[in-house]
Amino acid sequence: MTPTSLLITGLELGGLALVPAFAVGLSACWRAHRTLLDERNFLKGIFQNLPGGLCYLDRDLVMRRVNPTFAASINRSMAELLDRSVAEIFPMVEHQLVPTLRQVLDTGKSIQTKAFPLSVLDGSDLGSAHWDITLHPIADAQGTIRGILVLTLDVSDRIRAGRYQLRTIEALKEADALKENVLNLLSHELRTPLSGIIGATELLEEGLVGPVTEEQSHFLGTVMRQAATLQYLVNDLIDMSRLQAGKLVILPRWICMVQLVEDLLFDMALGAEEASIRLINQVSPSMGAVWADEDRIRQILVNLIANALKFTSPGGTIEVWAQEEGDNVRLEVRDTGMGIASEDLDRLFMRFSQLDAGQEKGGLGLGLSICKALVEAHGGSIGVRSELGKGSTFFFMLPQPADGIMPDSA
């Protein structure tokens, strides 16, 4: 009945004096009715258009309300689902769903389930269909549980992506393991014949098996340099293999860093001289002894200096610098070379990683990653500062125990 018809009825029943108050009351009732209707339509719109599935079950676990998203997620129309029981729609997982739903009705507590696999209606398996499900008990004004609101979110794509990612990771691990095995075998198989080549070349070069002409000596020198380069690469492969297997041992002792650097630069002087680059020892003569594995520190410095020689132009300099900083010793190799772009710094210490300029210079891209592993085996850290056109500084820190006994050597 409209407000107008009610007003007419009021006039017929009882007098004009009651009409204004009656009309005001009817108007308020009508506004309240419209407000409730608007709220109902608003909530209905939310229910119908939510991206997640919604389903209301009564105490008999019969579907009384479903939204389009819920119906579409199991390839059914809303008409097919209404007034159907959970057992009818999900027969393949009834034994899992029904006890859980009963638990919500009995306890009045919500339950959440992640990535629940679904099979529906006639028992046909959806295979990759998975839902995140939230079950909320619905109570009346007296607190009696009347049913369950089921909220669902289809996460099938997430599950498929996760499984694909796992398969990819496993495949990469297998490929990495195969690569490590091949490199390990290759490096050890190369080491023996390479040692024979170097030994035989040294005998020839020294004239122990007969006189050597100047031209022959030149070619023997070329063989020795190339063999030394190959031996350097093989040793890198072997060290990386040992590091990966956790078999590389650090044997620290007190060493004189001044003498170590002096001897090292003397050994590398010829290569630097040929490249017209000056090597400078900036380690203070007053510096105390350092607790570290001498062979490994030498290996680190050789790698860093050899790397600097590759990227420093003729006329440039390379400095080796060291100082004590609290309970650590800091060593640096500074060059005046081409420098490194900031976006490339994070890749420097990765295995088999080479910058474009480095690929032109040769090598396997293992030197810096080995340096990092050896420094970390000492309990230290390594890093780099660089700017294009302004050279680079590679530095590493070595912790120095007060009692002279490193934890790993105990």
Side-chain angles (χ1 to χ4, degrees):
M1 184 177 289
T2 67
T4 303
S5 62
L6 285 172
L7 179 59
I8 293 171
T9 302
L11 288 171
E12 293 173 346
L13 292 176
L16 293 173
L18 296 176
V19 169
F22 186 63
V24 170
L26 285 176
S27 179
C29 289
W30 180 251
R31 286 196 302 271
H33 172 72
R34 290 301 307 173
T35 299
L36 289 174
L37 189 61
D38 289 344
E39 288 293 324
R40 180 170 178 260
N41 289 334
F42 176 69
L43 293 174
K44 183 178 179 182
I46 293 176
F47 186 83
Q48 295 291 330
N49 295 295
L50 272 176
L54 285 175
C55 172
Y56 174 71
L57 306 173
D58 64 16
R59 288 195 64 87
D60 295 323
L61 304 183
V62 173
M63 296 183 182
R64 298 305 183 188
R65 296 283 187 277
V66 296
N67 73 344
T69 303
F70 183 91
S73 64
I74 53 175
N75 300 317
R76 297 293 182 268
S77 69
M78 294 171 63
E80 287 180 285
L81 299 179
L82 289 174
D83 302 324
R84 304 285 295 276
S85 71
V86 168
E88 289 180 273
I89 303 301
F90 302 105
M92 298 296 288
V93 290
E94 176 191 0
H95 65 288
Q96 294 171 277
L97 277 178
V98 172
T100 304
L101 294 167
R102 291 293 179 198
Q103 183 181 346
V104 174
L105 292 173
D106 293 341
T107 64
K109 295 181 178 179
S110 299
I111 292 178
Q112 290 184 320
T113 302
K114 297 291 186 181
F116 188 86
L118 289 176
S119 301
V120 298
L121 206 60
D122 59 355
S124 62
D125 190 0
L126 290 184
S128 60
H130 290 79
W131 282 356
D132 284 351
I133 303 175
T134 301
L135 307 175
H136 281 298
I138 303 298
D140 59 19
Q142 289 72 42
T144 303
I145 305 300
R146 294 299 184 184
I148 301 173
L149 183 63
V150 181
L151 294 85
T152 67
L153 181 65
D154 191 336
V155 294
S156 301
D157 289 343
R158 186 186 75 193
I159 298 301
R160 282 193 292 269
R163 289 175 176 171
Y164 176 78
Q165 187 176 38
L166 286 175
R167 289 195 297 269
T168 302
I169 291 172
E170 289 302 317
L172 289 173
K173 285 181 177 178
E174 290 179 7
D176 193 53
L178 178 60
K179 180 182 68 177
E180 293 298 335
N181 289 335
V182 170
L183 290 176
N184 189 29
L185 178 63
L186 180 63
S187 58
H188 282 86
E189 289 300 316
L190 285 173
R191 197 174 196 179
T192 299
L194 184 57
S195 297
I197 292 171
I198 293 174
T201 305
E202 287 177 343
L203 290 175
L204 291 171
E205 193 173 32
E206 293 172 8
L208 297 178
V209 291
V212 178
T213 66
E214 183 176 344
E215 185 179 11
Q216 289 171 335
S217 179
H218 169 74
F219 285 114
L220 288 173
T222 300
V223 172
M224 283 297 295
R225 285 192 297 274
Q226 297 302 320
T229 299
L230 185 56
Q231 188 177 48
Y232 180 80
L233 297 177
V234 169
N235 287 338
D236 273 355
L237 287 172
I238 292 173
D239 282 341
M240 182 54 67
S241 176
R242 288 173 179 168
L243 286 166
Q244 287 293 105
K247 294 180 180 179
L248 191 123
V249 179
I250 298 297
L251 300 173
R253 63 185 180 88
W254 291 110
I255 59 176
C256 176
M257 190 60 65
V258 179
Q259 190 63 50
L260 186 152
V261 172
E262 185 177 327
D263 293 343
L264 177 60
L265 296 186
F266 178 81
D267 292 341
M268 302 185 75
L270 180 59
E273 185 178 338
E274 290 176 349
S276 299
I277 296 170
R278 282 199 309 141
L279 300 179
I280 303 173
N281 185 354
Q282 294 284 29
V283 181
S284 172
S286 63
M287 184 174 184
V290 175
W291 184 257
D293 185 319
E294 183 172 4
D295 290 337
R296 295 308 178 185
I297 298 304
R298 181 182 178 89
Q299 183 178 359
I300 294 168
L301 290 172
V302 166
N303 267 312
L304 294 180
I305 295 170
N307 197 61
L309 284 169
K310 285 183 183 180
F311 302 105
T312 301
S313 300
T317 60
I318 297 172
E319 299 179 0
V320 180
W321 177 92
Q323 75 173 25
E324 295 171 306
E325 291 188 0
D327 294 332
N328 298 282
V329 168
R330 181 186 182 94
L331 292 102
E332 295 188 356
V333 175
R334 306 169 176 174
D335 67 59
T336 58
M338 61 192 298
I340 304 162
S342 57
E343 61 268 22
D344 291 329
L345 294 177
D346 291 339
R347 294 195 293 127
L348 283 177
F349 297 100
M350 296 173 61
R351 287 188 306 150
F352 300 106
S353 176
Q354 284 186 301
L355 307 184
D356 293 341
Q359 293 174 1
E360 298 173 3
K361 303 289 185 177
L364 296 173
L366 287 175
L368 292 178
S369 63
I370 290 174
C371 288
K372 182 176 185 292
L374 292 176
V375 170
E376 291 175 350
H378 280 80
S381 59
I382 190 169
V384 60
R385 299 189 309 272
S386 188
E387 188 176 345
L388 278 177
K390 296 186 178 180
S392 303
T393 297
F394 285 84
F395 57 88
F396 59 99
M397 306 285 285
L398 299 175
Q400 298 298 293
D403 56 6
I405 300 177
M406 294 188 73
D408 289 343
S409 64

